[in-house]
Amino acid sequence: MKGSRSAALRRARSAALIGLAVAASAGCSGGDDGTKGEAAELSARPPGAHSWTGRPCDLLTDAPPAEGFTLGSTTDSASPDAREDVGENGARPLYRRTGCLADLKGPDGAFWKLSATASVYEDSEPARHAYRVKEDLDRAHGRGPEKVHDTAYALPADDGGRPGRTLLLWNGDLVLTVSAYAPHGSTEREVRRNLERIIGNAAHCMENGLRDRSAPSLSPYISP
């Protein structure tokens, strides 16, 4: 009995992660496959080069955050100044950060929160290193991670008692963090599916909108 229950839980968890990967490739117009809704898995997205923008919230307006949800007030949090990261072997790679804070209105009129932050590095390797450092820290602190694929993972989040979900993604020279939070009084079990759809669609919109299509595709690094 216990074994069958454990197997069922594993299947449910696997299905949830697959759903997140599918959702992350859906949503915004202008994607490589030209589809909307449920599309190819996020892992099929080739690595690319990305550009900084001072109006990141505009990237989230082409498609609804999830079915039945609408995007409310938004605030750009973009800084054009280059920042210095702590890289490997004493290197100091530069990156620029851009992000959006947004209110979401759910199907029942309740308000949710969305946060998306993109760090665009000067090269792909420093971005890969920054992503791996963050992944290692989350693992060391027992926060997961729940792998979506080799260059993306998800983990639970919390904002003053509001259940949430965070997705971290590395693609080429981009490290992207997307978080969403449900209304107060919600339970993680009730809202997880919608949280996964919201962060997945937002991640796709941000990565797709920042992608520099005039630049050649980058060769993927082999995961250590």
Side-chain angles (χ1 to χ4, degrees):
M1 191 71 170
K2 184 181 292 185
S4 62
R5 187 182 299 118
S6 298
L9 289 173
R10 285 195 300 271
R11 287 194 297 270
R13 181 170 173 171
S14 177
L17 290 175
I18 292 171
L20 174 58
V22 169
S25 64
C28 294
S29 60
D32 291 343
D33 56 11
T35 62
K36 293 183 179 181
E38 292 189 351
E41 289 188 7
L42 182 63
S43 58
R45 187 74 167 161
H50 301 81
S51 300
W52 181 89
T53 178
R55 302 188 64 179
C57 291
D58 289 353
L59 306 179
L60 301 176
T61 61
D62 287 342
E67 184 178 357
F69 286 78
T70 56
L71 190 68
S73 61
T74 61
T75 303
D76 290 316
S77 57
S79 172
D81 298 327
R83 304 186 184 193
E84 193 176 69
D85 199 357
V86 178
E88 294 179 286
N89 302 319
R92 297 282 177 173
L94 300 178
Y95 69 98
R96 292 200 294 171
R97 180 168 291 175
T98 189
C100 178
L101 302 174
D103 290 325
L104 307 179
K105 189 175 182 180
D108 60 355
F111 285 95
W112 299 48
K113 290 173 60 176
L114 172 66
S115 171
T117 302
S119 297
V120 181
Y121 282 77
E122 58 184 356
D123 201 358
S124 180
E125 177 59 20
R128 182 203 67 85
H129 176 69
Y131 171 82
R132 293 303 185 198
V133 168
K134 176 60 177 166
E135 184 180 27
D136 289 344
L137 285 174
D138 283 333
R139 183 179 294 109
H141 287 87
R143 293 191 288 259
E146 300 174 14
K147 299 286 285 187
V148 176
H149 57 74
D150 278 349
T151 60
Y153 68 90
L155 64 164
D158 182 88
D159 179 37
R162 301 175 66 163
R165 197 90 177 139
T166 294
L167 172 69
L168 283 93
L169 167 72
W170 164 52
N171 185 292
D173 54 6
L174 174 72
V175 177
L176 179 62
T177 303
V178 181
S179 298
Y181 302 94
H184 285 288
S186 306
T187 66
E188 196 274 343
R189 181 177 180 180
E190 293 171 335
V191 299
R192 175 162 174 162
R193 187 172 179 84
N194 279 329
L195 288 172
E196 290 174 345
R197 289 171 172 167
I198 291 168
I199 61 175
N201 287 335
H204 175 75
C205 288
M206 291 289 287
E207 193 280 323
N208 189 61
L210 293 172
R211 182 168 285 240
D212 184 354
R213 288 172 177 79
S214 65
S217 295
L218 302 175
S219 297
Y221 282 90
I222 302 300
S223 301

